[in-house]
């Protein structure tokens, strides 16, 4: 079975991930060190610098009368992680997420080892458990019939430290569930329609609940992290976005075949642009095809299928 998903923001995400891997390789420890680092040792790090010193607990009040220290718009990776971190510090956090059902997207499916170390630091490493996540230890590169593989420089880390690949939606749901276990975290489905500004400062948000009720919520600090499709970004900035290509995503169900290099991301340097393969479960492989240009071939009239069969499959 093959499922199609298209996303125009994943090319920059992949490039950043690859650069991050190269940076990890360059900055790896050069001196011998036989002592393995324990991933649990960093869980007790001090994260109080996240909150400005003038943020006093209980200063914010919503229309429903509950005190709120921080409003977070969006419960994706950033929003859920921030909510959990602030909640552990005792902050009262109100998270407003447009859709609390499991997302079905092709972004954020391959977590680099540095990202896993950050999960450990935040106490969120169990969010990659029980979602059929696959260990990733490096990349395999293919060009003109030749291939090679490059491993992450993880010799001086605990054996559990590696990349993880998974269904993004399953990972997001685990992070939301983790944040929601804290009694001072209020996770609500609703659509934030505008920011409330008073005397040059953001004092809260106006939002519509799942039932359609219009409400306002106030807090000393509002954090907007509702993703690339944010309807609030234009009120804060006017970014000039250039979209040179889009990724077309397919899910390939495994039967007897496996990728040539187990536990690796696979990059095919094809013509005219790269093709990626990596496992997202024990039975599924994600294939991402970079399609140049701002206009994609049509799915409806068969142009996309023809492009994949004639341009991509032969490579």
């Amino acid at each position: 079975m093959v499922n199609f998903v298209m996303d125009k923001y994943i090319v920059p995400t992949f490039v950043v991930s690859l650069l991050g891997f190269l940076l990890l390789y360059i900055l790896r420890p050069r001196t011998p060190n036989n002592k393995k680092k324990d991933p649990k040792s960093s869980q007790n790090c001090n994260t109080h610098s996240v909150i400005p010193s003038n943020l006093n607990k209980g200063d914010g009040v919503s229309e429903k009368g509950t005190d709120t220290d921080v409003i977070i718009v969006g419960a994706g990776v950033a929003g859920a992680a921030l909510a959990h971190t602030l909640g552990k510090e005792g902050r009262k956090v109100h998270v407003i997420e447009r859709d609390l059902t499991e997302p079905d997207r092709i972004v954020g499916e391959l977590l680099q080892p540095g990202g896993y170390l950050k999960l450990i630091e935040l106490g969120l490493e169990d969010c990659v458990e029980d979602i059929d996540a696959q260990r990733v230890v490096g990349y395999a590169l293919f060009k003109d019939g030749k291939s090679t593989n490059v491993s992450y420089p993880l010799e001086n880390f605990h054996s559990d430290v590696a990349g993880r690949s998974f269904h993004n939606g399953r990972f997001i749901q685990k992070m939301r569930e983790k944040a929601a276990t804290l009694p001072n975290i209020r996770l609500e489905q609703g659509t934030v329609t505008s920011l409330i500004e008073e005397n040059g400062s953001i004092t809260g948000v106006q939002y519509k609940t799942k039932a359609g009720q219009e409400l306002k919520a106030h807090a000393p600090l509002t954090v907007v992290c509702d993703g690339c499709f944010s309807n609030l970004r234009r009120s804060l900035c006017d970014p000039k976005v250039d979209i040179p290509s889009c990724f077309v995503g397919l899910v390939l169900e495994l039967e007897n075949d496996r990728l040539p290099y187990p536990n690796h991301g696979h990059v095919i340097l094809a013509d005219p642009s790269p093709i990626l393969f990596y496992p997202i479960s024990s039975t599924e492989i994600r294939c991402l095809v970079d399609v140049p240009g701002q206009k994609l071939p049509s799915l409806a009239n068969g142009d996309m299928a023809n492009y994949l069969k004639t341009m991509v499959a032969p490579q």
Side-chain angles (χ1 to χ4, degrees):
M1 183 184 73
V2 177
N3 294 327
F4 287 96
V5 185
M6 289 172 283
D7 198 302
K8 60 188 177 183
Y9 294 94
I10 200 167
V11 178
T13 302
F14 167 71
V15 173
V16 170
S17 297
L18 195 55
L19 290 175
F21 163 61
L22 294 175
L23 182 62
L24 178 67
Y25 184 82
I26 293 169
L27 297 179
R28 73 192 191 282
R30 302 286 182 171
T31 56
N33 184 2
N34 295 324
K35 184 178 180 181
K36 299 293 183 181
K37 297 185 180 179
D38 185 353
K40 309 297 183 184
S41 63
S42 60
Q43 288 189 17
N44 296 323
C45 63
N46 189 336
T47 57
H48 287 276
S49 60
V50 174
I51 300 300
S53 59
N54 63 347
L55 178 58
N56 298 314
K57 296 183 182 180
D59 284 349
V61 181
S62 74
E63 285 189 346
K64 292 187 177 181
T66 57
D67 295 342
T68 304
D69 295 316
V70 183
I71 295 170
I72 298 177
V73 183
V77 172
L82 179 59
H84 181 262
T85 300
L86 298 180
K88 287 197 304 180
E89 294 180 342
R91 308 289 181 180
K92 296 180 180 178
V93 183
H94 184 185
V95 184
I96 305 172
E97 162 59 38
R98 180 171 51 245
D99 186 357
L100 287 174
T101 60
E102 183 174 307
D104 182 16
R105 299 188 59 199
I106 60 173
V107 297
E109 291 181 322
L110 204 164
L111 184 73
Q112 302 296 333
Y116 183 70
L117 287 171
K118 183 58 66 174
L119 287 183
I120 294 171
E121 181 181 324
L122 297 174
L124 294 169
E125 68 273 22
D126 56 346
C127 291
V128 295
E129 298 175 2
D130 302 321
I131 59 172
D132 202 14
Q134 304 298 298
R135 284 174 58 88
V136 178
V137 297
Y139 280 95
L141 305 176
F142 297 79
K143 183 175 174 59
D144 298 332
K146 300 178 181 179
S147 67
T148 187
N149 68 305
V150 181
S151 298
Y152 295 127
L154 301 175
E155 297 82 3
N156 295 318
F157 292 90
H158 189 276
S159 60
D160 189 49
V161 176
R164 297 290 194 280
S165 54
F166 39 68
H167 280 270
N168 172 265
R170 297 175 186 175
F171 177 58
I172 294 294
Q173 291 301 87
K174 290 280 284 188
M175 295 190 74
R176 291 172 176 173
E177 292 168 6
K178 181 89 170 184
T181 60
L182 299 176
N184 46 329
I185 302 294
R186 179 183 168 199
L187 184 58
E188 180 179 13
Q189 181 163 309
T191 301
V192 174
T193 54
S194 63
L195 301 171
I196 300 173
E197 185 173 348
E198 297 177 6
N199 300 321
S201 298
I202 301 300
T203 61
V205 300
Q206 182 165 331
Y207 69 103
K208 182 180 292 187
T209 67
K210 183 179 180 180
Q213 186 179 8
E214 293 277 359
L215 291 177
K216 294 180 181 179
H218 298 273
L221 179 64
T222 298
V223 181
V224 177
C225 45
D226 56 347
C228 60
F229 300 112
S230 171
N231 62 342
L232 301 175
R233 182 169 290 119
R234 293 191 181 279
S235 66
L236 300 171
C237 60
D238 185 22
K240 304 299 181 184
V241 180
D242 181 30
I243 304 173
S245 64
C246 298
F247 258 145
V248 176
L250 305 86
V251 174
L252 311 177
E253 290 194 353
L254 290 173
E255 293 181 355
N256 297 320
D257 295 333
R258 292 291 184 270
L259 289 172
Y261 293 85
N263 303 109
H264 282 66
H266 290 58
V267 182
I268 293 86
L269 301 176
D271 179 24
S273 50
I275 304 165
L276 312 181
F277 291 92
Y278 51 85
I280 56 174
S281 75
S282 56
T283 60
E284 296 166 301
I285 296 293
R286 169 69 75 194
C287 172
L288 294 178
V289 179
D290 184 60
V291 180
Q294 295 190 5
K295 186 176 181 181
L296 285 168
S298 172
L299 276 172
N301 65 12
D303 286 349
M304 178 64 75
N306 183 62
Y307 178 86
L308 295 174
K309 290 177 181 177
T310 59
M311 288 291 295
V312 177
Q315 301 186 68

